[in-house]
Amino acid sequence: GRGRVAPSKDTLRTAQKIMNTDYLFERGKIANIMGVNKNAIDFGKMDEKSKKSVYNGIKKVFAQFPELRGYTNKVLYDPDIKGYAMSKSMQGVLKIGSKFSNYKELKRRYDRDVRMQFHPAGTNADAIIIHEMGHQLDGYLTQRSRRILDFRTLEPRRKREVLQQLGYFDYIRSERVEWSRMGYKGRELNEALEFSKKEFITKHISEYANKNEREFFAECFAEYLMSARPREAAKIFGEVLEKIMEGLR
């Protein structure tokens, strides 16, 4: 019988376009989900699995929080970012770093972060985008609430409510008694209590959640939305967030 006929260059180019999700899948679908022009989505040097990860994260967040449609208005590749990604939450811009050019390495790094408790348990590399979209939602809530409340108090209030229900303040009071009983006082006592505070938040959420109120929100958000078995802190956060959203809907 005759051997197989080699495909023409045009056929190969067409096949490559079909395989390239930048042409036919994530970019257009992300733009559609966000309600923006396709030109507002720039994948830069991201590989295919990374693009899919971006799509998965955005799709998951918008399915539950459609209020972000029209608020988050750009997804841009920025190789100058030092971390995985960053969010200009008050401008609705999501920037994605060069680590998304190699999904296999991205996944390896993120899985290591989870093992070290730097990021929340029960999450994987797709949580990077969910975390950044948490910042977007935080920015959206801040913008919406500016007229009603002093927006500078919103993030500390959200964090305080989650920690209150988690038993954090009772724990710190008992730690103060314990450290004092051991002879700690003044500056040494304050340093010991700082250690106890960070240890508590790292155990229940992640080490990165200690950084500030914004990262606390985004880390809780990532676990709440992504984990198949969210821990108590993420569950409480979800309940607090849903109450906030109900008040705005």
Side-chain angles (χ1 to χ4, degrees):
R2 291 176 60 193
R4 292 178 65 193
V5 178
S8 69
K9 286 183 180 179
D10 284 344
T11 305
L12 284 173
R13 273 197 292 268
T14 302
Q16 187 60 43
K17 278 192 176 185
I18 289 168
M19 287 187 288
N20 186 342
T21 53
D22 191 3
Y23 281 89
L24 294 173
F25 191 55
E26 279 85 1
R27 192 172 171 219
K29 286 206 168 186
I30 288 172
N32 188 46
I33 289 167
M34 290 171 52
V36 298
N37 188 286
K38 197 166 65 171
N39 293 332
I41 315 298
D42 172 24
F43 282 146
K45 293 183 178 178
M46 282 187 240
D47 65 10
E48 295 307 307
K49 285 188 176 178
S50 294
K51 293 171 193 172
K52 181 73 173 172
S53 181
V54 173
Y55 169 74
N56 287 342
I58 289 175
K59 182 184 177 186
K60 193 172 187 70
V61 172
F62 273 73
Q64 195 150 342
F65 300 96
E67 291 86 353
L68 286 173
R69 185 175 167 86
Y71 181 80
T72 302
N73 56 77
K74 283 181 185 174
V75 177
L76 305 173
Y77 180 80
D78 185 346
D80 296 328
I81 293 170
K82 288 181 181 176
Y84 295 123
M86 61 93 66
S87 189
K88 290 189 171 183
S89 58
M90 300 302 281
Q91 287 88 44
V93 177
L94 172 60
K95 290 192 172 187
I96 298 169
S98 59
K99 289 180 177 64
F100 274 75
S101 63
N102 183 341
Y103 185 79
K104 188 177 177 182
E105 177 63 15
L106 177 78
K107 184 179 183 304
R108 188 192 68 77
R109 281 171 177 261
Y110 188 86
D111 289 348
R112 183 193 61 194
D113 286 348
V114 172
R115 286 195 302 274
M116 293 173 68
Q117 293 185 292
F118 189 73
H119 287 309
T123 65
N124 60 38
D126 283 359
I128 297 168
I129 298 303
I130 294 174
H131 170 107
E132 295 305 331
M133 291 307 299
H135 286 308
Q136 291 289 309
L137 183 62
D138 197 5
Y140 168 82
L141 291 173
T142 300
Q143 297 266 30
R144 282 291 306 270
S145 306
R146 265 180 163 172
R147 296 173 189 172
I148 311 161
L149 300 163
D150 179 353
F151 74 95
R152 287 165 298 183
T153 69
L154 283 174
E155 284 163 345
R157 276 189 207 176
R158 293 170 197 150
K159 180 178 178 181
R160 186 176 181 83
E161 191 169 347
V162 172
L163 291 176
Q164 177 75 47
Q165 291 187 47
L166 200 56
Y168 169 84
F169 297 106
D170 291 337
Y171 171 78
I172 296 304
R173 277 192 288 272
S174 68
E175 284 288 282
R176 179 182 286 277
V177 171
E178 187 63 23
W179 286 117
S180 298
R181 188 184 64 76
M182 290 165 65
Y184 285 77
K185 55 188 175 181
R187 184 178 171 183
E188 281 187 342
L189 176 60
N190 288 335
E191 286 175 355
L193 285 172
E194 275 304 305
F195 172 81
S196 295
K197 289 173 184 177
K198 286 182 178 176
E199 188 180 49
F200 185 95
I201 289 174
T202 298
K203 178 186 172 185
H204 287 88
I205 304 155
S206 71
E207 184 183 332
Y208 195 43
N210 283 292
K211 188 175 180 182
N212 54 43
E213 280 87 5
R214 292 183 297 282
E215 299 304 344
F216 181 92
F217 183 102
E219 290 286 85
C220 286
F221 183 78
E223 182 177 346
Y224 161 64
L225 218 59
M226 184 169 203
S227 175
R229 293 186 296 277
R231 294 170 295 170
E232 190 180 3
K235 285 179 182 173
I236 292 168
F237 171 84
E239 289 164 6
V240 170
L241 180 58
E242 287 303 323
K243 262 190 240 171
I244 293 168
M245 297 309 295
E246 281 169 23
L248 292 175
R249 281 168 179 161

